């Protein structure tokens, strides 16, 4: 059983550019959540995808968007990059029984993508 | 609004000494609580979780945590620290009805002296 994987590992972009980060969920997991972790801070929830639909969103602007594919892998897209977008982006996968069902299943995190915006 | 506070930004303990990392949460209902550990350049690894039942929960690597509703706390403990425990520790609470959103504390960096 493979764990959560993310690509790329590191990325350098300039202000105003667009970026796409990718996440492959753990086998059997239908839910992917994305988090942003700025240096010296705890992770902050960006959004979650359950069975290809957005299922909850944090306090991030619309230029942060995502997708989930039929195989439950996911992408995070960020448009019009700003310097403050520099962070470690983490994805986490978990199995959920339903959209509004509170789950006791663990969210398993990937190693993250380090994004630097110059 | 839900929040998690980890009062200690950085803690240093000697190898073999006991450890307690503090976590306080603000939450209106029965919280789902977690402790994660993050080594440099790594993702987050779950140490333990509390959903209900016994308020003392055991985790991996010899860690345990105690849920105290009256104090809104979920402190992490280990009786004897090993040098390999040096890392960043995060306490988190899950927000229901918001897609399983986790709210994390700012983290506590643990250093271990030989």
């Amino acid at each position: 059983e493979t764990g959560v994987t993310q690509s790329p590992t590191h990325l350098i972009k300039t202000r105003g550019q667009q970026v796409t980060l990718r996440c492959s969920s753990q086998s059997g997991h239908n839910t992917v959540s994305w988090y942003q972790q700025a240096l010296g801070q705890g992770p902050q929830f960006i959004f979650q995808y359950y069975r290809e639909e957005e299922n909850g969103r944090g306090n991030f602007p619309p230029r942060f968007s995502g997708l989930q594919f039929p195989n439950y892998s996911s992408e995070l897209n960020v448009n019009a990059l700003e310097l403050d977008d520099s962070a470690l982006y983490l994805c986490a996968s978990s199995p959920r029984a339903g959209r509004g069902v509170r789950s006791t299943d663990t969210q398993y995190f990937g190693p993250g993508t380090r994004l630097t915006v110059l | 609004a839900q929040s998690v506070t980890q009062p200690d930004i950085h803690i240093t303990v000697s190898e073999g000494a006991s450890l307690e990392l503090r976590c306080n949460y603000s939450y209106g209902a029965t919280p789902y609580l977690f402790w994660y550990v993050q080594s440099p350049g790594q993702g987050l690894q779950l140490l333990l979780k509390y959903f209900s039942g016994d308020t003392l929960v055991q985790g991996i690597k010899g860690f345990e945590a105690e849920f105290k509703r009256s104090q809104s706390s979920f402190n992490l403990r280990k009786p004897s620290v090993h040098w390999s425990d040096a890392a960043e520790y995060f306490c988190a609470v899950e927000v229901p009805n918001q897609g399983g959103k986790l709210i994390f504390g700012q983290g506590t960096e643990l250093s271990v002296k030989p």
Side-chain angles (χ1 to χ4, degrees):
Chain A
E1 178 180 285
T2 57
V4 180
T5 60
Q6 293 186 242
S7 62
T9 305
H10 295 88
L11 204 51
I12 298 175
K13 292 285 189 178
T14 56
R15 197 168 46 182
Q17 286 188 310
Q18 177 266 341
V19 68
T20 297
L21 310 181
R22 294 178 176 83
C23 172
S24 291
S25 58
Q26 191 163 315
S27 177
H29 289 186
N30 54 19
T31 302
V32 172
S33 301
W34 285 92
Y35 291 82
Q36 180 196 66
Q37 185 179 18
L39 201 61
Q41 303 294 318
Q44 285 195 295
F45 178 77
I46 303 175
F47 44 56
Q48 182 185 85
Y49 279 84
Y50 169 75
R51 293 187 177 274
E52 302 179 60
E53 291 189 12
E54 190 177 289
N55 182 43
R57 188 177 180 92
N59 188 27
F60 281 81
R63 60 189 185 85
F64 285 78
S65 63
L67 280 174
Q68 188 179 31
F69 300 99
N71 66 355
Y72 301 136
S73 66
S74 178
E75 286 183 354
L76 165 65
N77 299 289
V78 187
N79 294 320
L81 283 167
E82 301 177 359
L83 297 179
D84 285 348
D85 296 333
S86 294
L88 181 68
Y89 287 84
L90 298 164
C91 80
S93 76
S94 59
R96 285 192 174 261
R99 180 171 302 281
V101 175
R102 198 177 188 189
S103 174
T104 60
D105 289 293
T106 299
Q107 294 190 45
Y108 292 90
F109 283 80
T113 294
R114 173 73 63 187
L115 172 64
T116 301
V117 182
L118 303 176
Chain B
Q2 299 87 356
S3 65
V4 176
T5 302
Q6 294 180 248
D8 305 305
I9 301 299
H10 188 205
I11 283 181
T12 300
V13 299
S14 297
E15 192 168 15
S18 63
L19 170 70
E20 182 169 28
L21 302 182
R22 295 182 291 165
C23 172
N24 293 99
Y25 65 89
S26 170
Y27 194 80
T30 303
Y32 284 7
L33 295 161
F34 306 81
W35 275 99
Y36 282 87
V37 61
Q38 185 177 38
S39 298
Q42 302 294 313
L44 299 170
Q45 181 183 23
L46 180 71
L47 287 175
L48 47 78
K49 57 188 177 184
Y50 171 79
F51 297 127
S52 64
D54 193 347
T55 56
L56 185 63
V57 294
Q58 302 296 321
I60 62 171
K61 304 185 180 186
F63 286 93
E64 66 177 28
E66 186 171 12
F67 169 60
K68 292 186 177 180
R69 185 185 298 275
S70 61
Q71 298 177 20
S72 297
S73 70
F74 188 57
N75 294 348
L76 182 72
R77 301 194 294 246
K78 186 170 185 177
S80 178
V81 170
H82 188 262
W83 64 267
S84 61
D85 293 325
E88 187 93 22
Y89 291 80
F90 293 95
C91 180
V93 62
E94 178 173 320
V95 182
N97 303 319
Q98 291 191 35
K101 168 185 177 181
L102 291 176
I103 294 178
F104 286 86
Q106 191 170 359
T108 297
E109 183 181 358
L110 174 65
S111 297
V112 180
K113 291 190 300 185

